[in-house]
């Protein structure tokens, strides 16, 4: 191997390390990275799939898409031009994508800011304040999703009621499913050394808010959602026109792009996916999209209360990269 390809391999591994911070369903981090020749491969880790909550593996793939976007952002900010192939080998369905460095790239200010946001972004389940999200920022989030070949539909105020009812219904459907309750129990009670799962420090107790957040507060764990009520929060739906694995991956890349752009704009943010996991509520949300399309994720953005949100752990790089 010549020096240049060794340097490229190192840069790709560095990007995989940065991508450890990507959000994922129940913080399962359901991916592995492998370097092979000049490529960095992204593999789905099916052993981490939530079989009851996410039977089709959509949330797993969306999570992997978020990791892929994090790696792409890190490489762009580090001055690399890349080629990305999605589902490069139909004979290996677990191989979701591969990345190669193809040349040098002058990073834009925006790329540098997005890369910095990787370390600053956290899912904030507290209720956001009454301060409105500027429409200019909302337009930037829409553009961020479009650049990932997916779309973002800001839910208009008059439809938030529908979203809120859908989230309440999805929660009830989930809670009636012993398989879901088992998975919730497992992934909210992970040993500290695992570096995965949703810790009690990030869970909030249910309060009056337009769209309820997923209840991670088993047996009294979690803390208060704060004194605010999401009055100024905006909800937006990531959607795609197709609904296959590449669409799910693209939706995950768009989810990451929207969350990082919101972080750059100093907004708090949180994904919401229970309404997507339950078929009836996903179909209900699909009907809000007048031009058609498949809902893939919902995000809540807004001005967070003071104090900052709690941080969620990650797995060790050696478990995820070339394991
Ligand atoms: C595909 C996907 C779906 C998610 N769904 C939810 C959700 O329904 N409710 C929620 O509170 N957080 C949700 N999250 C956020 C994860 O729980 C969070 O990313 C994970 O616990 C890691 O924490 P962090 O985002 O603060 O790094 C989701 C994240 C992803 C990528």
């Amino acid at each position: 191997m010549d020096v240049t390809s060794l340097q490229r391999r190192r840069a790709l591994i560095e990007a995989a390390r940065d991508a450890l911070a990507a959000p994922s369903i129940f913080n399962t981090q359901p991916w592995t990275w492998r370097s092979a020749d000049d490529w960095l491969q992204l593999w789905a880790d099916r052993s981490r799939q939530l079989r009851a909550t996410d039977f089709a593996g959509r949330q797993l793939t969306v999570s992997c898409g978020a990791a892929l976007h994090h790696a792409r952002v890190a490489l762009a900010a580090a001055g690399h031009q890349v080629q990305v192939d999605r589902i490069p080998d139909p004979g290996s369905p677990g191989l979701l994508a591969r990345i190669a460095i193809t040349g040098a790239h002058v990073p834009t200010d925006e790329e540098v800011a997005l890369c910095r946001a990787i370390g600053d972004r956290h899912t904030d389940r507290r209720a956001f304040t009454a301060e409105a999200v500027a429409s200019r920022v909302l337009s930037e989030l829409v553009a961020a999703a479009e650049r990932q070949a997916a779309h973002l539909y800001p839910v208009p105020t008059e439809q938030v009621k529908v979203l809120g009812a859908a989230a309440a219904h999805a929660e009830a459907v989930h809670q009636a499913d012993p398989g879901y309750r088992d998975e919730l129990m497992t992934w909210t009670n992970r040993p500290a050394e695992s570096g995965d799962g949703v810790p009690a420090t990030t869970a909030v107790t249910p309060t009056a808010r337009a769209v309820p957040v997923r209840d991670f507060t088993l047996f009294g764990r979690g803390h208060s959602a704060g004194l605010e009520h999401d009055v100024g929060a905006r909800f937006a739906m990531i959607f795609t026109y197709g609904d296959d694995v590449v669409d799910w991956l693209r939706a995950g890349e768009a989810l990451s792009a929207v969350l990082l752009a919101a972080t750059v704009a100093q907004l708090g943010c949180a994904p919401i996916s229970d309404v997507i996991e339950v078929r009836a509520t996903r179909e209900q949300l699909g009907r809000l999209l007048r031009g058609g399309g498949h809902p893939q994720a919902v995000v809540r953005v807004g001005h967070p209360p003071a104090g900052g949100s709690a941080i969620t752990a990650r797995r060790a790089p050696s478990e995820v990269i070339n394991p």
Side-chain angles (χ1 to χ4, degrees):
M1 184 186 293
D2 60 33
V3 173
T4 312
S5 68
L6 189 64
Q7 284 171 341
R8 286 180 177 173
R9 182 179 278 214
R10 281 203 186 121
L12 289 167
I13 299 284
E14 202 47 48
R17 290 178 81 102
D18 289 333
L20 287 168
S24 60
I25 181 76
F26 283 24
N27 197 26
T28 49
Q29 303 162 54
W31 56 78
T32 53
W33 295 98
R34 284 184 216 151
S35 47
D37 302 322
D38 281 347
W39 294 97
L40 177 69
Q41 301 176 333
L42 172 63
W43 289 81
D45 182 349
R46 297 276 166 201
S47 70
R48 295 179 159 262
Q49 181 173 346
L50 306 172
R51 301 274 164 191
T53 308
D54 180 30
F55 177 73
R58 184 187 297 108
Q59 302 305 323
L60 175 145
T61 311
V62 170
S63 302
C64 292
L68 175 61
H69 181 261
H70 270 50
R72 288 174 44 217
V73 165
L75 286 162
H80 303 290
Q81 185 183 304
V82 298
Q83 175 183 333
V84 180
D85 298 339
R86 293 168 184 80
I87 316 295
D89 175 9
S92 302
L95 177 57
L96 295 180
R98 60 180 190 174
I99 312 177
I101 293 176
T102 53
H105 163 79
V106 179
T108 62
D109 291 348
E110 189 192 356
E111 286 164 344
V112 172
L114 286 175
C115 189
R116 257 194 226 121
I118 286 179
D120 294 340
R121 182 213 59 82
H122 304 291
T123 298
D124 192 343
R125 298 189 179 87
R126 298 172 303 163
F128 297 145
T129 71
E131 185 179 347
V133 174
S135 54
R136 177 188 53 79
V137 174
L138 210 53
S139 306
E140 283 169 14
L141 302 186
V142 170
E146 294 285 333
R147 282 196 293 275
Q148 306 308 318
H151 312 280
L152 187 73
Y153 173 70
V155 178
T157 317
E158 65 274 14
Q159 289 182 346
V160 170
K161 237 189 264 165
V162 178
L163 178 61
H169 184 64
E171 177 76 21
V173 170
H174 271 335
Q175 291 296 347
D177 174 2
Y180 174 82
R181 292 201 307 270
D182 273 0
E183 287 176 347
L184 193 64
M185 182 70 94
T186 300
W187 289 95
T188 53
N189 284 287
R190 299 285 289 156
E193 66 276 12
S194 68
D196 57 17
V198 180
T201 46
T202 67
V204 299
T205 43
T207 47
R209 52 209 287 187
V211 179
V213 303
R214 192 195 296 270
D215 191 358
F216 286 109
T217 62
L218 294 174
F219 306 119
R221 66 200 291 281
H223 57 97
S224 158
L227 299 173
E228 302 291 345
H229 298 281
D230 270 341
V231 171
R234 287 300 305 258
F235 299 86
M237 207 192 311
I238 290 172
F239 70 98
T240 52
Y241 288 110
D243 198 21
D244 63 19
V245 176
V246 174
D247 296 302
W248 299 349
L249 205 56
R250 293 275 194 192
E253 292 174 82
L255 175 62
S256 164
V258 168
L259 296 174
L260 293 180
T263 305
V264 170
Q266 299 191 319
L267 293 180
C269 52
I272 298 173
S273 64
D274 42 8
V275 282
I276 307 292
E277 292 147 20
V278 172
R279 181 196 288 244
T281 51
R282 188 179 187 222
E283 286 173 0
Q284 197 182 0
L285 295 191
R287 288 192 286 276
L288 300 182
L289 300 168
R290 287 288 151 82
H294 301 276
Q296 306 293 7
V298 173
V299 290
R300 178 176 61 96
V301 294
H303 292 275
S309 59
I311 293 174
T312 301
R314 289 298 187 275
R315 293 200 286 160
S318 59
E319 286 179 28
V320 184
I321 304 167
N322 290 323

